[in-house]
Amino acid sequence: MMELTRKGEYAIRGIVYLASRPTDQVCLLSDIAAAVDVPPTFLAKIFQQFSKIGLVKSYRGTGGGFILGRPADKITLLDVVEAVEGPIIPNRCVINGIDCDRSSSCNVHPVWMNVQSQVRGILDKVTLKELAEG
Amino acid sequence: MMELTRKGEYAIRGIVYLASRPTDQVCLLSDIAAAVDVPPTFLAKIFQQFSKIGLVKSYRGTGGGFILGRPADKITLLDVVEAVEGPIIPNRCVINGIDCDRSSSCNVHPVWMNVQSQVRGILDKVTLKELAEG
DNA sequence: CCTCAAGAAGACTTTTTTTATCTTTTTATG
DNA sequence: CATAAAAAGATAAAAAAAGTCTTCTTGAGG
């Protein structure tokens, strides 16, 4: 349970690698993929998602590639994980608005809320800078 | 991410319902399934898993059914969730022994360890008694 | 000892999600 | 205009989840 998918793992590996490179250096996707051992086409999809929400900035054409969208200490593990895996929701009940028909009388609900906030809290305190340095 | 499967949801619903019934009363699986709105055949599989590890006690034959394997305040949400979803492992790295080839140099690893222990801690503090009363 | 009422076990099917890959399009450089 | 790169979309294969069906085993009551 609660297992990160391979996509999430690849995402972390890829962007942590990018964070470990010189800030101003544009990285080729194919180089990143090779460095972190991820299928390039799959990593491309992941970086497209990153790009859409500004986690990375992309450049097309000759000399193109990727750099981080903001400083490595302003990107958290939570940002990365939620970018590709979607919001951290241990149970459908936790989704605001779309509450199950049992939610009002459901004692389990607050437990999942707690889990959600704890996990988000942990992931939000870890930045790419820390992960890339170490 | 971290979403409970339907199986996990059903498992919780089913056993919490059982915990809400009189302690000595043997419950028919079909009654439980109807009460918590879960496909009976699917719930049967889940209760078989419960039975194997002693979370519930089963009786076959006429007048058979299920009761809790031990008092409701001695069964935690963690017991229930791990019974059907397997151990709580946010990332493959967390598995002892089977560590990925990056784990030694992997800064993400301790973060997942932390997530794992926090989540387990939360779930382990909630008992079926609390969930069934409320 | 026979019948019936339950759960146990295993095989199987369907559906959904994950994990890719391939092709075409867009954008930028020189 | 040719080439290099990412973006986008379609598709395919594999794995996991969700659910069903059939047969087996156990126990109670007559």
Side-chain angles (χ1 to χ4, degrees):
Chain A
M1 189 216 171
M2 316 203 83
E3 203 161 343
L4 206 64
T5 64
R6 210 169 295 182
K7 186 177 178 187
E9 237 181 273
Y10 291 171
I12 295 170
R13 278 199 229 158
I15 201 167
V16 167
Y17 175 80
L18 184 57
S20 75
R21 310 262 76 206
T23 312
D24 54 343
Q25 188 182 316
V26 173
C27 282
L28 276 181
L29 183 85
S30 54
D31 289 348
I32 303 172
V36 299
D37 191 28
V38 167
T41 54
F42 199 3
L43 195 65
K45 294 295 178 192
I46 292 168
F47 269 64
Q48 278 175 33
Q49 288 185 265
F50 284 161
S51 180
K52 275 178 191 158
I53 59 171
L55 247 42
V56 302
K57 199 165 180 323
S58 71
Y59 299 94
R60 292 173 159 193
T62 312
F66 295 90
I67 58 168
L68 287 185
R70 48 180 194 266
D73 62 344
K74 301 292 185 212
I75 298 176
T76 70
L77 193 50
L78 182 65
D79 293 330
V80 175
V81 168
E82 290 203 332
V84 297
E85 302 264 18
I88 288 173
I89 297 167
N91 188 281
R92 291 162 191 81
C93 290
V94 174
I95 308 171
N96 285 335
I98 311 166
D99 43 14
C100 69
D101 48 356
R102 284 171 194 77
S103 73
S104 56
S105 63
C106 172
N107 297 317
V108 190
H109 197 252
V111 180
W112 294 126
M113 294 286 282
N114 190 13
V115 167
Q116 180 185 42
S117 86
Q118 288 294 314
V119 172
R120 296 188 89 250
I122 292 170
L123 298 185
D124 201 38
K125 283 193 194 70
V126 181
T127 70
L128 287 193
K129 192 180 180 200
E130 292 154 33
L131 294 177
E133 284 171 356
Chain B
M1 189 215 170
M2 317 203 83
E3 203 161 342
L4 205 63
T5 64
R6 210 168 294 182
K7 187 178 178 187
E9 237 181 274
Y10 292 169
I12 295 170
R13 279 199 229 158
I15 202 166
V16 167
Y17 174 80
L18 185 56
S20 76
R21 310 263 76 207
T23 312
D24 54 344
Q25 188 182 317
V26 172
C27 282
L28 276 179
L29 183 83
S30 53
D31 289 349
I32 303 172
V36 300
D37 191 29
V38 167
T41 54
F42 200 2
L43 194 65
K45 294 295 178 192
I46 293 168
F47 269 64
Q48 279 175 34
Q49 289 186 264
F50 284 161
S51 180
K52 275 178 191 158
I53 58 171
L55 247 43
V56 303
K57 200 166 178 323
S58 71
Y59 298 95
R60 293 174 158 191
T62 311
F66 295 89
I67 58 168
L68 287 185
R70 48 180 194 267
D73 62 343
K74 300 294 185 208
I75 298 177
T76 70
L77 193 51
L78 182 65
D79 292 329
V80 176
V81 169
E82 291 204 331
V84 295
E85 301 265 18
I88 289 172
I89 297 168
N91 188 280
R92 290 161 191 82
C93 289
V94 174
I95 308 169
N96 285 336
I98 312 167
D99 42 14
C100 69
D101 48 357
R102 285 172 192 75
S103 73
S104 56
S105 63
C106 171
N107 296 317
V108 190
H109 197 253
V111 179
W112 293 126
M113 295 286 283
N114 190 13
V115 167
Q116 180 186 40
S117 86
Q118 288 294 314
V119 173
R120 296 187 90 251
I122 292 170
L123 298 185
D124 200 39
K125 283 195 194 71
V126 182
T127 71
L128 287 193
K129 191 180 180 201
E130 294 154 32
L131 295 176
E133 284 170 356

